[in-house]
Amino acid sequence: MINFTGDRPIFLQVSESIEDGILSGVYPEESQIPSTTEIAASCRINPATALKGISLLVEEGIIYKKRGLGMFVVSGAKEKIREKRKREFYEKYVVQLIDEAKKLGFSEAEITYLIRRGFEGEH
Amino acid sequence: MKVSIELKNVVKRFGKVTALDNVTVTFGGNKIYGLLGRNGAGKTTLLSIITSRLFADEGEVLVDGEPARENDRAMRKIYMMGEATLYPENMRVGDVFRWTREFYPEFSLDYAFSLADSFKLDCRKKVKSLSTGYTSILKNIVALSSNAEYTLLDEPVLGLDANHRDMFYRLVIEKYAERQNTIVLSTHLIEEVSEVIEDVVIIDGGKIIFDGSRADLLAHGYSVLGSTELVNRYAEGRTVIGSESLGGMKKAYIWGKPEQDGVPDGLELSSVDLQRLFIQLTNARQN
């Protein structure tokens, strides 16, 4: 089940949640993902929106269509998603982190310290 | 052959009140439409004219290219679910299903009985003994089982609790995915249908004020937030459809496409959700 938030288009949230499923192993490579209708009905969204989210993943080579059977996860999709998310990591997390840090007057050293603390698990 | 319901320059008056004022709109293309409007905007009148429950004073309605008026073939393509209960009140639920099948040959009895079971609607009960909520449920079951090419649902979730509304939206989407028919959801509950619908028709004071895709509508409205002075300066020369103030801050709702760059410092541009945009658009006309 997908929990939507209000800040981004729903079709993007559909494709991201399927990616999350592939990363976490809910949808192993070469396994079938839910159909457009199943996604639309379970999320109460228009089938065209669900299709848009699925099509995005097809374009990116993460899933593919087996004629008459449905949509399947490409072998190597997990690695592909990981690579893509790593590329997005800087823009999505680092830039925002620095932005907020500057607002609050943190120095670079303080932020580095906090990141190290986070990695060591001392919250 | 055209596959659509077309209204051309339709005018409907009730005494001195013009309920529909030169309405031209098309429903078709196998989509789920949202017919959105405030109470009394003209939604029910519009749907009643499509289904010949009311006749237009001017203009015409075409169903798949044929005039709809006094045209049985056209009427059998359309099922309208509305506030009026059109079954004899002593009829039992199960008989309502069998009766409707006489008029709608594609009606699925099995599907109707299975839905009644899911909603825990007792098919032996008489229509008049049902609560408001269950009367709505019965009408929705009949509408979804009709398998008509055009299914018009006028305030379908009236009186339904949250669980039943949720079930209802799921069924609408499943039915649409299966039949690829045209479904019109007429409602004032915008938030609930905003992700379900693909196209939007907004009616206000008997006039169509928007007709297009939901995506297009959302791309046309945005809000700008900042100090009152900056927002007022930004708003000059733009179409402002509403505004809110708090202290020295102001938020203005703008109709138009936001610029990609060159946003003045101190202003924040945001997208607006369907409900908020609807409220601003329908308020703007009244003031």
Side-chain angles (χ1 to χ4, degrees):
Chain A
M1 195 64 206
I2 307 172
N3 290 312
F4 294 121
T5 58
D7 55 349
R8 271 165 319 120
I10 301 290
F11 77 93
L12 276 182
Q13 298 187 46
V14 167
S15 58
E16 278 167 18
S17 94
I18 294 167
E19 284 182 354
D20 286 340
I22 295 171
L23 281 178
S24 69
V26 174
Y27 308 124
E29 294 178 355
E30 293 302 333
S31 75
Q32 190 170 9
I33 63 158
S35 71
T36 306
T37 305
E38 286 168 329
I39 294 171
S42 96
C43 303
R44 318 294 191 265
I45 58 174
N46 192 283
T49 313
L51 182 64
K52 207 171 161 190
I54 299 250
S55 303
L56 193 66
L57 295 176
V58 173
E59 275 168 39
E60 291 178 353
I62 287 164
I63 56 173
Y64 68 102
K65 189 177 189 168
K66 273 192 198 171
R67 212 161 282 282
L69 290 174
M71 308 304 295
F72 289 75
V73 180
V74 170
S75 319
K78 213 166 169 173
E79 194 48 39
K80 222 176 226 174
I81 297 165
R82 230 182 252 135
E83 287 301 316
K84 184 180 76 169
R85 297 237 177 147
K86 277 183 183 169
R87 286 195 299 276
E88 291 166 355
F89 188 83
Y90 182 79
E91 279 295 320
K92 211 168 160 182
Y93 298 98
V94 180
V95 172
Q96 281 197 36
L97 175 95
I98 307 278
D99 222 34
E100 180 71 6
K102 280 183 178 166
K103 259 190 235 166
L104 300 177
F106 275 123
S107 70
E108 190 188 329
E110 282 171 308
I111 292 302
T112 317
Y113 167 75
L114 286 176
I115 289 174
R116 197 178 312 130
R117 202 178 93 185
F119 264 107
E120 286 161 4
E122 299 164 28
H123 296 293
Chain B
M1 191 186 79
K2 279 185 181 170
V3 184
S4 61
I5 297 174
E6 285 177 271
L7 283 86
K8 288 184 174 171
N9 307 104
V10 168
V11 175
K12 179 67 187 175
R13 295 182 202 91
F14 294 111
K16 284 180 180 169
V17 178
T18 304
L20 292 180
D21 190 357
N22 200 23
V23 165
T24 296
V25 66
T26 300
F27 299 100
N30 308 334
K31 288 179 188 166
I32 304 180
Y33 285 82
L35 174 60
L36 311 179
R38 303 182 63 181
N39 288 326
K43 304 188 292 292
T44 303
T45 306
L46 191 155
L47 296 178
S48 302
I49 284 174
I50 291 175
T51 49
S52 296
R53 291 183 191 180
L54 288 173
F55 292 117
D57 296 317
E58 292 170 34
E60 63 173 347
V61 178
L62 301 176
V63 175
D64 296 346
E66 288 181 23
R69 197 164 172 158
E70 288 166 40
N71 180 341
D72 282 347
R73 192 168 49 169
M75 287 305 107
R76 278 166 196 256
K77 293 177 183 173
I78 306 172
Y79 189 90
M80 176 181 172
M81 174 269 179
E83 201 188 352
T85 306
L86 303 170
Y87 324 117
E89 58 173 22
N90 275 316
M91 200 177 252
R92 293 177 197 279
V93 169
D95 293 326
V96 168
F97 297 158
R98 292 181 196 97
W99 190 63
T100 310
R101 195 175 54 170
E102 300 298 313
F103 305 97
Y104 292 90
E106 297 280 308
F107 188 93
S108 168
L109 269 182
D110 288 347
Y111 182 71
F113 281 111
S114 80
L115 289 191
D117 197 43
S118 325
F119 279 102
K120 300 200 169 18
L121 169 65
D122 184 350
C123 293
R124 289 161 304 179
K125 274 197 166 173
K126 286 185 176 173
V127 174
K128 67 174 176 190
S129 71
L130 299 176
S131 65
T132 312
Y134 270 101
T135 305
S136 283
I137 287 170
L138 169 61
K139 290 180 197 164
N140 281 317
I141 291 176
V142 174
L144 290 170
S145 307
S146 73
N147 290 321
E149 278 170 55
Y150 304 97
T151 304
L152 316 179
L153 303 166
D154 191 15
E155 297 290 1
V157 298
L158 221 60
L160 266 61
D161 65 25
N163 306 47
H164 283 158
R165 290 208 299 277
D166 192 50
M167 263 173 82
F168 167 75
Y169 292 121
R170 183 189 182 108
L171 291 168
V172 167
I173 292 164
E174 283 174 348
K175 179 52 79 176
Y176 168 74
E178 176 204 326
R179 303 283 302 186
Q180 293 291 309
N181 53 353
T182 296
I183 297 176
V184 179
L185 291 171
S186 163
T187 184
H188 66 283
L189 299 170
I190 317 290
E191 206 171 357
E192 289 192 2
V193 298
S194 76
E195 294 302 336
V196 176
I197 59 183
E198 185 173 353
D199 271 25
V200 183
V201 173
I202 300 180
I203 183 167
D204 195 42
K207 286 188 162 78
I208 305 291
I209 62 167
F210 182 87
D211 176 10
S213 75
R214 189 181 66 101
D216 201 34
L217 175 60
L218 293 177
H220 266 90
Y222 64 101
S223 69
V224 54
L225 177 72
S227 71
T228 305
E229 193 198 332
L230 279 176
V231 169
N232 285 346
R233 200 180 305 152
Y234 179 87
E236 257 175 57
R238 295 175 206 264
T239 309
V240 179
I241 52 174
S243 65
E244 291 158 10
S245 292
L246 182 65
M249 299 287 277
K250 186 171 177 177
K251 186 185 223 178
Y253 295 93
I254 313 277
W255 184 248
K257 292 205 173 175
E259 50 269 273
Q260 292 303 314
D261 37 45
V263 179
D265 276 347
L267 288 180
E268 196 182 307
L269 268 52
S270 312
S271 57
V272 181
D273 68 33
L274 189 63
Q275 173 150 299
R276 193 94 336 250
L277 203 52
F278 171 86
I279 291 171
Q280 300 303 334
L281 280 171
T282 50
N283 274 344
R285 276 182 42 84
Q286 277 191 347
N287 303 333

